[in-house]
Each structure stands twice: as structure tokens, then as C-alpha cells.
Amino acid sequence: MPEMPEIQAHAERLTDRYRGRTLAKFVPFNFTALKTALPRPDDAYGHELVGVGRRGKYLLLEFGDTTFVVHLMQGGRLLDDPKLSVKPRGGQARFLFDPIDHDGADVASDALLLTAQGKERRAGVWCTTTATMLTSPPLDKLGPEAATITADELAKLFAANSMRVHGFLRDQRMVAGIGRRLSNEICHRARISPFANTRKLGADGAALVVQATQECIAEGLAFERSRTDMSSSKDRPSAVHARTGEPCDVCGDAIRAVEYSGYTVNYCPTCQTGGKILADNTTSKFLK
Ligand SMILES: [Zn+2]
């Protein structure tokens, strides 16, 4: 799933290409694509795209008083849509702009198409009032932004929520924007066990995690901004994520994995657990 760096760079590219375009119509292709009844998408018609912002893993398409909040979920994308097919493959919804003269140049198309992969947890759109969107679903429950949370703020959240740090980092209500890959990378960068208890990490642990988070996000952003489209997860550079069995670049130890049904926790024993091998999740042995 794309995380903060991928979504942020995508928002910046969309802003560059579509800012100032006037929305003609929002077209959902099925009953579940639009998650809200009010305000109506029509309220945004005739208004220019002010820009595409981001909160957590959500894209925010702002048309004046109305903002469309878009979540790409696992394999969703928001793409140039030059073909305007009647039934686009994987299509969830379309933002149709008033046409402009493209002069044959490589500029944006007259529509953006939201696509999804698979049948479960599909990409979706919430139509919100710009002034109140941050305190309305789906953004109202999000924790502070991962890139800007301070060590003090994180220390308070650590103290109030006793969790494994890997699970904490992936929980959007705690900090927003981090997923499975960044959780693995941040724990490795901070040299802490992914299973470390947040309450026990304390203020010193929070400071380490904040610094690691900022570094990992900055590197992810630099990589993602160098691209013309969103990377797939296998393209993204990583120190431990998806590198089970490979040598750690820092110490040479073999990177280990703890498998869960939906994801893998990767870590380096020498860098992160004092050489201790973390117990595999018991249920996953039966699922494999
Ligand atoms: Zn290592």
C-alpha cells in the first residue's frame, strides 16, 4: 500500500498537472465508490482545482468550498484518463474537467480516473466541506502527521498506549501516514525491536523513533519525487522491508521475518534485538 511519501509525491504531481482545471462532473462507477451523501459532488462543479493536498494516506482534491478525499487503499491509483472509456477497467470514479486545448503537448488529460484492484477494501471517495474536512470522516480519527510529530507528542502517545511499536506506527489513529514498509524501516533505522513496547520505550525511545521516521520519510520522498508516476512497492529502496534472508547493509547479519497473514515484519537481529530471534506468530504457522 502506498504510504506518506508515495501519496505526498503523487499529490504534488497531480497539483502540477491539474491545478486550475474546472470540474465538470464527478462520476462514480459503482455504489460503493462515493462514501458520502452530503455535501453533494455537484457543489464542486464549475470550481477550479485549487490543488491536491494530503492528510495521512489520503489525497485531498480541493475545489474551493468542497474537497474530495480519496483513499487509494491497496492497489488503487488516480491516473490521467485520456481515453474516457465508458467502462474503464478497475474504474471506481472519474473526475471530469472542462476540456482545454492541449495543443498536442504532453500535458494533463481532461479527466482523472480512480482505479482499484481486487474486490475488497477498494479505493473510495468522500465528498467533504473544505472548512470542516479535518474534523469530519474519514480524516477526523487520524493521529498527528508522521513527518511532523514531535518527540514530546510521540512520548505522550507512547505513554498512553501500550502496544508493540510496529503495530503502533501502522495505526493511523496514533500517527498518520505510516504503513508496513515504513514501520519496518523506521524500527531498523532506530535500532529498536519491532516488538518493543511503546510504554517502555519512553521519551528516549520516542526521540529515536521521531528521528528515524523523519529520515525514512525524507528518503522515501526524495526517491518518489524523482519519478514521474507512483512507484510499486518492489521498486522502493529498503534496508529490511521485503529483504528476508538478505544481508543487512549496516552489519551483515541476515534479515529475519515474522510472518502474519496480511503482512511481514522484517528486522535485523544484530541491529535491533541484541541478536534475539523473535518468535514467529503462532497462527501464521498454520496459515502458511
Ligand atoms: Zn543489521
Side-chain angles (χ1 to χ4, degrees), residues 29 77-81 85 88-95 111-115:
F29 289 112
R77 292 289 183 266
L78 194 57
L79 303 166
D80 293 344
D81 185 22
S85 313
R89 184 181 167 83
Q92 292 293 101
R94 172 178 284 145
F95 295 89
L112 276 169
L113 180 67
L114 177 65
T115 64

Side-chain angles (χ1 to χ4, degrees), residues 188 248-253 268-272:
H188 180 258
C248 169
D249 291 338
V250 176
C251 72
D253 194 359
C268 168
T270 298
C271 288
Q272 295 175 256

Side-chain angles (χ1 to χ4, degrees), residues 70-174:
V70 176
H71 199 299
L72 300 176
M73 299 305 296
Q74 189 71 43
R77 292 289 183 266
L78 194 57
L79 303 166
D80 293 344
D81 185 22
K83 290 185 185 166
L84 297 176
S85 313
V86 178
K87 274 196 164 183
R89 184 181 167 83
Q92 292 293 101
R94 172 178 284 145
F95 295 89
L96 192 62
F97 300 108
D98 285 345
I100 54 167
D101 183 5
H102 295 300
D103 273 342
D106 177 28
V107 294
S109 60
D110 288 331
L112 276 169
L113 180 67
L114 177 65
T115 64
Q117 279 180 0
K119 288 203 161 56
E120 285 175 35
R121 287 166 59 80
R122 286 183 156 190
V125 180
W126 291 254
C127 188
T128 69
T129 301
T130 304
T132 55
M133 69 175 171
L134 293 178
T135 52
S136 309
L139 305 180
D140 55 337
K141 299 286 196 295
L142 294 179
E145 283 292 319
T148 50
I149 189 171
T150 66
D152 283 349
E153 286 172 320
L154 189 65
K156 285 198 182 91
L157 287 171
F158 274 2
N161 298 278
S162 176
M163 297 169 71
R164 283 178 173 176
V165 66
H166 195 280
F168 176 99
L169 290 171
R170 283 183 292 113
D171 188 332
Q172 302 304 299
R173 296 165 299 181
M174 298 296 156

